[in-house]
């Protein structure tokens, strides 16, 4: 299908919810940490380095491994897709960006209504009292030999969702916005990670129209009103032009 159909879907919409996945960030040079085919998992066992069990077995090793990788995210910049969604929010047509990405690039592009359902690499959170601290502070403390522990005595964990963990409270809000939207625009998600992927059939059964743009086919293509298998950057730039939105 073409960009024409996507343009028609969005131009009449009043309560768009965007659901974004790793494909949105790869064009900003960010590898897909959770994907099985990014090379990382060939050398490391995800159940050790990306699971809550692995974190508890070796908190310091966990910070040493991820501290460096998360640090690289600070230099990344938002791209056309992030900017398009921020522009739709400024126009009042978009109620929420639900993102599986932890890189903060939707905020960097100017989006304010962002639900980070897999957490954020910028924060760490105490597993006891739930207090948050900037992640880089904890990384620095661990590097200088301190334990990643809160003043309350509990462990401090990067505030990203690991394998084996529940989703944060933001997910309940994501479900609410999904039920209330008139269009769900899915960008760069393979829709294989649950429960987030389940938001797409939820939107559809709540009466919303679904548009999907992703490089590869996915499990909910049949249910979507519009499906576009394309690279995001070029498509979103062209779409912004057609909708008269500035990608500042
Ligand atoms: Zn605490």
């Amino acid at each position: 299908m073409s960009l024409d159909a996507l343009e028609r879907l969005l131009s009449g919409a009043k309560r768009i919810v965007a659901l974004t996945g790793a494909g949105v960030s790869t064009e900003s040079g960010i590898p897909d940490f959770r994907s099985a085919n990014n090379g990382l998992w060939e050398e490391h066992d995800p159940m050790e380095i990306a699971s809550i069990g692995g974190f508890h077995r070796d908190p310091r090793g966990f910070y040493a491994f991820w501290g460096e990788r998360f640090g690289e995210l600070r230099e990344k910049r938002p791209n056309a897709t992030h900017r398009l969604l921020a522009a739709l929010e400024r126009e009042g047509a978009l109620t929420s960006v639900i993102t599986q990405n932890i890189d903060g690039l939707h905020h960097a592009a100017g989006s304010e209504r962002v639900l980070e359902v897999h957490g954020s690499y910028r924060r760490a959170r105490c597993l006891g009292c739930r207090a948050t601290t900037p992640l880089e502070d904890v990384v620095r403390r661990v590097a200088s030999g301190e334990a990643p522990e809160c003043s309350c005595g509990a462990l401090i964990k990067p505030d990203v969702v690991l394998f084996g963990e529940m989703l944060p409270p933001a997910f309940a809000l994501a479900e609410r916005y999904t039920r209330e939207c008139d269009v769900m625009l899915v960008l760069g998600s393979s829709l294989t990670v649950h429960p987030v992927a389940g938001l797409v059939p939820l939107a559809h059964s709540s009466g919303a129209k679904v548009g999907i743009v992703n490089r590869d086919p996915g499990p909910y293509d049949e249910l979507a009103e519009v499906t576009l298998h394309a690279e995001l950057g070029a498509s979103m730039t062209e779409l912004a032009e057609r909708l008269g939105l500035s990608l500042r």
Side-chain angles (χ1 to χ4, degrees), residues 126 129 150 152:
C126 172
C129 69
C150 180
C152 80

Side-chain angles (χ1 to χ4, degrees), residues 67-156:
E68 191 182 326
R69 283 170 174 82
F70 287 161
E72 289 168 7
L73 296 180
R74 297 196 165 272
E75 281 129 52
K76 306 301 182 184
R77 295 289 169 263
N79 60 53
T81 305
H82 299 107
R83 295 189 195 288
L84 171 78
L85 297 179
L88 283 169
E89 183 181 318
R90 284 197 296 274
E91 294 287 305
L94 182 141
T95 55
S96 179
V97 177
I98 302 166
T99 187
Q100 297 174 287
N101 302 328
I102 60 166
D103 50 52
L105 289 183
H106 286 299
H107 287 118
S111 288
E112 290 175 14
R113 304 176 64 93
V114 183
L115 296 172
E116 295 174 307
V117 292
H118 286 166
S120 164
Y121 83 95
R122 291 172 186 269
R123 288 186 308 266
R125 189 183 291 276
C126 172
L127 292 175
C129 69
R130 312 299 294 161
T132 59
T133 15
L135 181 74
E136 57 182 335
D137 293 354
V138 187
V139 169
R140 207 177 305 124
R141 278 165 49 194
V142 172
S144 69
E146 277 181 60
E149 285 172 6
C150 180
S151 52
C152 80
L155 273 173
I156 302 173

Side-chain angles (χ1 to χ4, degrees), residues 219-243:
Y220 297 115
D221 287 0
E222 294 292 312
L223 150 172
E225 187 96 353
V226 182
T227 309
L228 192 62
H229 296 135
E231 296 299 329
L232 274 169
S235 314
M236 294 303 106
T237 303
E238 158 103 38
L239 187 63
E241 237 164 70
R242 289 173 176 223
L243 295 172

Side-chain angles (χ1 to χ4, degrees), residues 180-209:
E180 293 171 353
C181 72
D182 57 2
V183 167
M184 174 171 269
L185 179 62
V186 185
L187 303 174
S189 175
S190 60
L191 297 176
T192 51
V193 179
H194 286 270
V196 175
L199 293 174
V200 177
L202 176 63
H204 182 253
S205 66
S206 304
K209 291 177 176 167

